[in-house]
Amino acid sequence: MPRALLSVSDKTGILKLAHGLAIRGFELVATGGTARTLTADGLAVTSVSDVTRFPEMLDGRVKTLHPALHGGILGRRDRPDHVAALREHGIAPVDVVVVNLYPFADAAANSDTTFDALIEEIDIGGPSLVRAAAKNFRDVLVIVDPQDYEPLLDALDATPSLAFRFD
């Protein structure tokens, strides 16, 4: 079963995308707020904590920075040694990564945002997921903009081209 990791601060369009992925046979893996949004709409969701077998901690600062996720994203499907290592460690491949980053610029532009609150808007896990997926774009589709959700679903109905994956 293909697997999609969803971790979005901007929930625009995420329900339509998630339903589209589910209809196409994807297992949906999601972080806290995204998982709650999807579950509330009746979707079956695997929490990131279930994948990592480690709880989100430090007020959510640590949740996706784990080999069970990054290994599944970075493992190259054309490398038998990578496939064997994933199998040996019980890591399922991740085929689609949908991430948008914390709204740092919006928080910084808001004069009511305290310095400590602004620091919490520095995203660590999101950029790491995006960069890992981009590094392995031949095997993993990475989407960061809700405007790309529909083109993603359209591409999945065919075979996503290398140009689409790279773009």
Side-chain angles (χ1 to χ4, degrees):
M1 169 183 285
R3 179 179 259 189
L5 174 61
L6 304 133
S7 180
V8 296
S9 57
D10 176 358
K11 306 293 190 273
T12 304
I14 196 62
L15 290 174
K16 183 177 179 183
L17 173 64
H19 280 281
L21 290 168
I23 288 167
R24 288 163 177 83
F26 279 78
E27 174 191 8
L28 305 178
V29 176
T31 56
T34 303
R36 285 188 294 279
T37 298
L38 302 180
T39 301
D41 204 56
L43 288 158
V45 178
T46 302
S47 74
V48 164
S49 295
D50 288 340
V51 172
T52 63
R53 295 179 296 280
F54 202 86
E56 288 187 17
M57 59 184 288
L58 305 178
D59 299 320
R61 283 180 161 203
V62 177
K63 54 189 164 220
T64 59
L65 298 170
H66 195 281
L69 290 174
H70 284 272
I73 295 168
L74 288 164
R76 289 181 49 186
R77 321 292 162 77
D78 65 337
R79 295 269 310 264
D81 58 326
H82 283 210
V83 172
L86 293 175
R87 189 175 304 115
E88 176 184 349
H89 295 285
I91 298 173
V94 175
D95 304 287
V96 174
V97 172
V98 180
V99 173
N100 51 59
L101 308 181
Y102 296 163
F104 182 84
D106 292 342
N110 184 343
S111 61
D112 292 333
T113 304
T114 66
F115 180 78
D116 288 339
L118 183 60
I119 293 302
E120 293 308 314
E121 295 298 320
I122 298 172
D123 199 332
I124 305 301
S128 297
L129 293 169
V130 169
R131 291 175 71 104
K135 183 170 185 157
N136 199 18
F137 75 94
R138 288 178 179 88
D139 294 317
V140 181
L141 291 160
V142 58
I143 302 295
V144 297
D145 187 337
Q147 291 184 348
D148 292 330
Y149 293 171
E150 191 169 327
L152 168 65
L153 293 174
D154 291 342
L156 291 171
D157 288 337
T159 299
S161 68
L162 190 59
F164 180 83
R165 289 177 170 282
F166 186 76
D167 186 48

